[in-house]
Structure formats: structure tokens, C-alpha cells
Amino acid sequence: MTLDITRRRESAAHLVDIDIDRASNVAIGRQIYLALRQAIVAGRMAAGVRLPSTRAATALWNVSRGSVVQAYDMLLSEGYIDGRPGSGTYVADDVPMRGRAGKENKARDPAVLCVSRAAALMLSTPALEPPPQVAFVPGRAALDEKSRAILTRLGHRHVDAASGIYGDPRGLPQLREAIATYLSAARGLRCDSERVVITSGAQQAIDLAARTLIDPGERVAIEDPSYPPARLAFSAIGAALTPIPVDGAGIQVDILQQSGTDIRAVYVTPSHQYPTGSALSMARRMALIDWAAARNAWIVEDDYDSEFRYDERPLAALQGIDEHGRVIYIGTFSKALLPGLRLGYLVVPEALVPAFRSVRAVFDRFPATFHQLVVADFLMEGHFSGHLRRQRETYRTSRDTLFQFLQERTSAHLKTELPQQGIHLLAEPLDNLIDIEIAEAAGRAGITLLPISPMSLLEKPRHGILLGFSALSERDADIATYRLAKVLDAI
């Protein structure tokens, strides 16, 4: 069968051959989707090409309208086509992976390239680039109209504020002061502006901590399972990783205590463990601090989404109860404001300030001025607390909606608990289902899920899938959970 797809403004036809196999177990809608996607990725359908309406396609391809809708819906969710109200459906301008497949596979072979061991590690590991922005992608931020208007106004205020001189590698004094004030009040930190270091997001903060504290070959303990980019940051500088299991009360400090005396640092997410969602108990918090003090070791505390606790006040930070100066605290505005701002920060012990300042200067001399000024005003003028209140309520609604749909549609296959904190939930497979297989099958249905077993270094990893609910509308949750239920029923 041949599909004749033309531009509205051009007469040239773009022909795509599709062999509809009506005896196949693959749904006709999916056959159409696969053929169109291949044609788009290969460049046979250029950006801006208009697809026929679903009604016209039904007659053109001799298929049901439902099959066409299913195919278009999957292409839309994955970013291959765009719907323009009142105009039609078109091939997207920015198509995922167009023309890159063959070249990229060859380029990713470390044996072909003369690169460092760190670069080879990155090439052999799943990419850190964000997945398509579809339902369940973790870490998205939803900006309400009031906050958007305030940030726009502040941006106009500072649009000409770029300085002609180099700044402090730690960041602008006013932003560091605003962050220190916020953290002292909201998170119970022991800090002042001199100990705050601004970074380009939390990932740079983790990398900065690794480079400043760890020499190649030294041992670093990490939670297991753990946040993959953090694990990569320590591996890239040559650290030897020691996985420490996590249970319902967080990292198992007793196992850490028995893991040798040469561990230089431990990376933890104590307020909301990534990815399992557990919170580190107070008894383990105190034991962890005592361990670090006794071993002269460092604790890298990643407090990535502590602002979002829905039924109680956020848990106090580990750094706030540390009387020995062993905690390096990491925070970010990517979850609470926007990922595009690229602003994170560290709070470091006073004795380490000169070292962090010097290493920070090697990265990119100093943070970009414009975004710092905007966020500093947003904090100092008191907008942040109101923004967080609105955001929590939005995310609470998204969380509750997603949880209800999952309970109604997937409870036969997934065990899901309502999270009290964070912007994602963990669903654990039942009946010995494998999380990677679920994620791969879901991906073919246009759903992005993150399996957690690859986040583990232990011999018998825990299985589960992460589903992000920030910036998730009720409509998207409805459609995505319906598809997920179909996927699970078919496995």
C-alpha cells in the first residue's frame, strides 16, 4: 500500500510504502505508526509535510479511522508530528534522532575513538540527555501563570545587566545571600552566603564535589539503587564505587560501617531517596554523621526535591544536624522553578570554601549573570514561597490523579503506594515482571518509564518503574495509564 502525503503549499508528493499485514498480531494502527515514523526519521518525509486528516487517511489507506487516530496519537506523543489547530497535522521541525541512527551507533563505539577513560565510560552508558517530554517523564516543572509573569518582569529588568567584568566563581553575592536565608529558614541549614557556591544545575554541583574531594582510586559509597548521573560523576573521576543497599528507612548505615575504613565519601539522597522514595530515619541520620566524623569522610547530600512534601513540613536537611562539618549539601532550582534556568548550588564546610572556589573557576570561570539576577530578585522579593505553595497544590492534584488511575487500571500488575514527597512515584512489578521489559514495551506504545534495576550495582537489583507526575495533566494521565494498562495486559 502506498501513502500519498503532500505539503499543503506544495504539489510534490512524498510517497511512503506500507505493507499492511491484516493477519499480523501487530495492530494496524501500530503498523501505520511504525512506517510513518521510519519515513520521518529517514528523511523521506521532510519537516513541515502535512499529513492527511484522519478522515481522509481512512479512505486513502483503506483502514479504520481508529487505526489512523492511534498512529497519529503515538507520533504526536513522541514529538514526530505537530498538530496545528485549524490547519492540520504536520511533520515536526525538530524530529527525534532524524538521520543519526547509523552514524551515532558507530560514533559511540569507544574502540573507534581516541578518548579518555571517562569519555569512554559516558559513551558506554545510557545517555543523560532527557527523554521526549511525554507522560511520566520525571523531573519536569510546571510554571503557573503568576510565577511566569513575575519571572518575565524580572527578566526585563535585568536584560541589559550582563557585566563586562569577570565575577566571583561562587556566584553573585545577592543570590548566595538569598539562598542562605532561604535554606536556613526552610531547610534548617547551618550556613551563610560565604559558604554557598552557585553551579549550573545539580549535576555540575555533584561533579564539582567529586572533583574537589576525591582522588582517582579512592572509594566512594553510594546508595543502591542510586541516581545514575551521580554515579557517573564519581566514576568519571576514577572513584571506586561501593554500593550500599537501601530499604524503607534509607541507606543501611550498618552495612556502610562494615564496608571498610578507606571510604572517602558517601553520596546520599536522605530526604527522598532516588529512586525508591524512602526517607532516611533520624537514627540512621545520626549514625551516618557519626560514621563520617569518626572516619574523616565526607557526606554528599543531594536534596533534589525536598520542597515537595504534601502532608507535612519538609524533613530537615542532614546538613542542619551535622555538628562536625562533614556534609556537602546540594540543591537545585531545576525542580522548583525551571530546568532551563540551569541553577544549582552547594553549601560547603567553611574550611573547604577556598578549594571549591578554585575548582569552580576551572569549569566556566563564573556562573552566568542574567539568570542569577532574576532568581535572586525572585527570592528576595518574597515570590518563592508563594510559588512553592501553588506548585505543591498542582503537583498534589497530579499525584492523586495518577495514583487513582494506576489503582483502577494497573493494580493487577503493579504495586503502587501514594508518595508523601517528591515529583515521581515508584511502581513495583508483580508476578515476576521485569522492569526493563515493561519500560521497553511501554516505549513502543509511546510511554516513557524509567526502570530502576539498571540503577543498581548489586547482584540482585530491585525492580520498579518510575512515573513522574509533575506537569502531568489529567488528560495525559488518563491516556497514558490506559496505554500502560494495555501494555501490561499484553506482557
Side-chain angles (χ1 to χ4, degrees):
M1 181 180 294
T2 298
L3 309 189
D4 185 1
I5 302 172
T6 64
R7 290 181 187 268
R8 170 171 288 185
R9 58 185 180 275
E10 297 180 5
S11 60
H14 296 259
L15 302 178
V16 179
D17 292 327
I18 293 184
D19 293 325
I20 297 292
D21 183 357
R22 301 185 184 276
S24 172
N25 292 327
V26 179
I28 292 176
R30 181 158 183 80
Q31 293 184 49
I32 297 172
Y33 151 77
L34 291 172
L36 291 175
R37 186 183 69 172
Q38 176 60 31
I40 292 170
V41 171
R44 297 198 304 276
M45 292 173 60
V49 168
R50 182 175 182 269
L51 278 70
S53 69
T54 56
R55 191 178 300 277
T58 297
L60 181 63
W61 304 334
N62 192 27
V63 295
S64 71
R65 192 178 183 189
S67 295
V68 178
V69 170
Q70 180 188 23
Y72 282 16
D73 190 31
M74 286 189 283
L75 291 167
L76 278 166
S77 70
E78 294 183 3
Y80 291 99
I81 61 176
D82 293 323
R84 304 176 191 175
S87 177
T89 304
Y90 297 81
V91 175
D93 292 331
D94 185 15
V95 172
M97 302 303 291
R98 171 178 277 149
R100 291 172 54 194
K103 294 180 180 179
E104 184 162 301
N105 287 338
K106 183 177 180 181
R108 281 185 177 274
D109 183 358
V112 177
L113 303 173
C114 296
V115 297
S116 67
R117 285 187 298 174
L121 173 67
M122 303 304 173
L123 287 171
S124 62
T125 305
L128 299 185
E129 287 85 0
Q133 295 298 294
V134 296
F136 305 149
V137 172
R140 293 187 294 174
L143 197 64
D144 64 273
E145 290 306 315
K146 182 173 183 179
S147 295
R148 188 183 303 277
I150 293 170
L151 287 170
T152 299
R153 173 170 56 81
L154 296 178
H156 288 159
R157 177 189 300 174
H158 294 296
V159 71
D160 296 323
S163 174
I165 62 174
Y166 288 94
D168 189 323
R170 294 174 299 171
L172 292 177
Q174 58 266 47
L175 178 57
R176 290 190 283 116
E177 181 64 40
I179 289 173
T181 300
Y182 165 71
L183 292 177
S184 297
R187 304 293 296 121
L189 259 67
R190 306 164 182 251
C191 70
D192 56 57
S193 62
E194 293 300 306
R195 296 168 57 189
V196 177
V197 180
I198 307 300
T199 61
S200 178
Q203 184 61 29
Q204 189 184 70
I206 296 169
D207 190 34
L208 177 57
R211 292 174 185 271
T212 306
L213 302 175
I214 308 301
D215 283 325
E218 289 187 318
R219 291 176 67 199
V220 173
I222 58 169
E223 301 167 321
D224 196 285
S226 65
Y227 181 53
R231 191 174 78 196
L232 279 174
F234 288 108
S235 295
I237 57 97
L241 300 183
T242 299
I244 307 296
V246 169
D247 61 17
I251 189 170
Q252 297 184 36
V253 181
D254 57 335
I255 296 179
L256 174 65
Q257 293 169 335
Q258 300 166 15
S259 297
T261 60
D262 61 340
I263 292 179
R264 179 66 171 161
V266 57
Y267 169 83
V268 291
T269 51
S271 295
H272 186 228
Q273 201 277 328
Y274 190 98
T276 67
S278 61
L280 190 62
S281 68
M282 182 54 68
R284 290 189 184 180
R285 288 171 184 246
M286 300 307 299
L288 182 60
I289 291 171
D290 289 343
W291 168 86
R295 302 290 175 84
N296 201 31
W298 301 109
I299 301 171
V300 180
E301 177 182 13
D302 187 349
D303 208 27
Y304 66 101
D305 68 356
S306 61
E307 294 88 355
F308 303 108
R309 191 167 177 84
Y310 300 103
D311 298 312
E312 300 175 4
R313 286 181 58 84
L315 298 171
L318 191 64
Q319 194 267 9
I321 59 174
D322 172 26
E323 297 181 352
H324 306 285
R326 308 310 305 175
V327 176
I328 290 84
Y329 178 90
I330 293 174
T332 179
F333 290 107
S334 293
K335 309 295 187 297
L337 280 174
L338 288 172
L341 288 172
R342 301 313 305 141
L343 283 178
Y345 50 86
L346 305 100
V347 178
V348 305
E350 184 176 359
L352 291 179
V353 170
F356 272 83
R357 187 180 190 277
S358 297
V359 178
R360 173 68 181 84
V362 174
F363 280 10
D364 55 1
R365 298 299 294 271
F366 64 97
T369 303
F370 175 74
H371 288 169
Q372 290 188 84
L373 288 168
V374 171
V375 174
D377 283 1
F378 195 80
L379 268 64
M380 292 188 296
E381 294 179 8
H383 304 302
F384 194 47
S385 59
H387 165 75
L388 287 178
R389 284 195 299 272
R390 295 190 297 274
Q391 207 170 32
R392 285 190 196 105
E393 289 308 307
T394 298
Y395 291 176
R396 181 200 298 272
T397 299
S398 298
R399 176 201 65 170
D400 294 347
T401 300
L402 174 59
F403 181 74
Q404 180 179 348
F405 279 133
L406 290 172
Q407 290 295 96
E408 292 173 355
R409 296 171 176 174
T410 68
S411 58
H413 304 290
L414 299 175
K415 175 186 177 183
T416 308
E417 295 184 0
L418 188 70
Q420 300 304 312
Q421 183 165 324
I423 54 179
H424 67 257
L425 59 79
L426 177 67
E428 297 186 272
L430 302 174
D431 301 325
N432 296 317
L433 294 178
I434 306 300
D435 56 2
I436 295 177
E437 294 177 359
I438 295 174
E440 289 176 347
R444 292 191 291 271
I447 309 168
T448 296
L449 305 175
L450 291 185
I452 72 168
S453 62
M455 303 179 190
S456 177
L457 296 178
L458 296 174
E459 184 177 350
K460 295 182 178 180
R462 182 173 175 178
H463 286 263
I465 54 175
L466 289 190
L467 299 93
F469 54 78
S470 59
L472 181 66
S473 68
E474 181 176 358
R475 177 182 179 277
D476 287 345
D478 187 7
I479 294 172
T481 53
Y482 175 81
R483 292 182 187 172
L484 178 58
K486 294 293 186 182
V487 167
L488 292 168
D489 288 340
I491 293 179

